[in-house]
Amino acid sequence: MIAVNTAVVTKNYTFYKQMVPMVELYFKKLKIKTDFLLCGGLTELHDVAEKGKRLDLIVIEISNQLPIDDIQAFMDADQSAEYMLISDDKIVDSAAVRNGNLIYRNLTQNNVNHILSRLTDKTNMAKHLLVPVAGCSRVVAVDKIVYAEIMKRTLTLHLESEIITYQGQLDVLAAQLPKTNFFRCHRSYLVNLDYVTGIRRYDFILNDDIFVPIAKGTWKKASEALLQFIR
């Protein structure tokens, strides 16, 4: 994920200043850039979308000027982004709104993080990664990653046709990749389930001839993850 484009919809600038650092804090830990746009209402938000700008996250303050019914109608028309709705220091996410289950939680950093974690899970948010290689930033296609491994602080990406090494953390990489495709099978290894052609006790088999270790304590979860993936 190169950047998260976020629109904050409100007529209250104080609300905007409150939400920006909460969103930034989550993505900063993942070393993901965030770009913010202030919109005064849904009409302005619609105009932004009409101009072709990709919006990944939309934060909306519910008010008399922005009632929940109007917001729901807008969400039904645009389901590509993740939404956070805020009302009087309470928060609800887009899934709950679309299901008609308006359970509001306290507006805390933990609850904001929980919603944003869904955003980083979406495969359309992780088509490419930006990794530091040889003094520059290299764009890597996520679907070309076969598996990743780390030794000390050296992270190695095994791609379909090449190998890339750089200084990084496997935890940070895992958080940027879609959990539907990638599985952390070992403290030092992460596999792309698209390339798994078999499994044996304590090993994933990739492309029929690559063996990636599965930690003993992860064996059951690894088997279940693969079974769920191929169904």
Side-chain angles (χ1 to χ4, degrees):
M1 188 188 301
I2 298 175
V4 174
N5 294 323
T6 302
V8 181
V9 184
T10 180
K11 295 183 181 297
N12 181 357
Y13 189 67
T14 301
F15 174 81
Y16 176 81
K17 290 173 64 178
Q18 176 189 13
M19 293 308 303
V20 166
M22 295 185 82
V23 173
E24 279 183 328
L25 181 62
Y26 174 81
F27 289 111
K28 185 177 181 180
K29 292 180 179 179
L30 301 178
K31 298 182 179 180
I32 297 173
K33 181 184 177 183
T34 46
D35 293 326
F36 291 90
L37 175 69
L38 175 61
C39 296
L42 294 178
T43 300
E44 187 176 341
L45 180 64
H46 178 75
D47 291 343
V48 170
E50 283 289 299
K51 291 177 182 177
K53 182 175 179 62
R54 189 195 83 235
L55 293 175
D56 306 306
L57 174 66
I58 300 174
V59 182
I60 304 178
E61 182 184 26
I62 301 173
S63 64
N64 292 333
Q65 291 77 26
L66 285 174
I68 186 66
D69 289 346
D70 290 351
I71 295 171
Q72 284 178 303
F74 186 90
M75 289 171 59
D76 289 340
D78 176 20
Q79 300 192 20
S80 60
E82 184 70 35
Y83 290 78
M84 287 197 303
L85 310 184
I86 318 292
S87 176
D88 297 326
D89 291 327
K90 300 289 184 180
I91 186 171
V92 65
D93 63 22
S94 53
V97 174
R98 290 190 174 110
N99 293 334
N101 185 21
L102 294 178
I103 299 177
Y104 288 86
R105 305 180 187 279
N106 291 329
L107 180 56
T108 65
Q109 186 67 54
N110 283 341
N111 285 333
V112 168
N113 292 351
H114 177 71
I115 292 174
L116 295 180
S117 67
R118 299 180 184 178
L119 185 61
T120 52
D121 281 349
K122 290 184 176 181
T123 54
N124 66 332
M125 285 294 299
K127 292 181 179 178
H128 297 87
L129 294 176
L130 205 60
V131 298
V133 179
C136 66
S137 295
R138 170 81 180 274
V139 177
V140 175
V142 167
D143 62 0
K144 302 300 183 184
I145 300 174
V146 180
Y147 72 101
E149 63 177 313
I150 192 164
M151 181 175 293
K152 295 184 178 178
R153 289 187 59 84
T154 299
L155 193 57
T156 302
L157 300 183
H158 296 263
L159 309 181
E160 284 186 350
S161 57
E162 63 177 315
I163 296 175
I164 296 175
T165 61
Y166 64 99
Q167 297 299 298
Q169 299 177 36
L170 196 58
D171 287 342
V172 173
L173 174 65
Q176 297 180 60
L177 297 172
K179 291 183 176 61
T180 50
N181 293 70
F182 288 84
F183 182 78
R184 182 77 174 268
C185 58
H186 189 282
R187 62 182 299 180
S188 301
Y189 291 89
L190 177 76
V191 300
N192 186 343
L193 296 174
D194 274 320
Y195 292 92
V196 173
T197 54
I199 188 172
R200 69 181 187 185
R201 197 133 185 104
Y202 307 135
D203 282 306
F204 272 127
I205 305 170
L206 282 63
N207 291 341
D208 293 325
D209 59 0
I210 301 171
F211 296 86
V212 175
I214 300 171
K216 290 183 179 181
T218 311
W219 165 251
K220 183 178 180 181
K221 288 183 178 180
S223 302
E224 292 172 348
L226 180 60
L227 182 61
Q228 183 176 359
F229 179 77
I230 62 178
R231 280 178 175 173

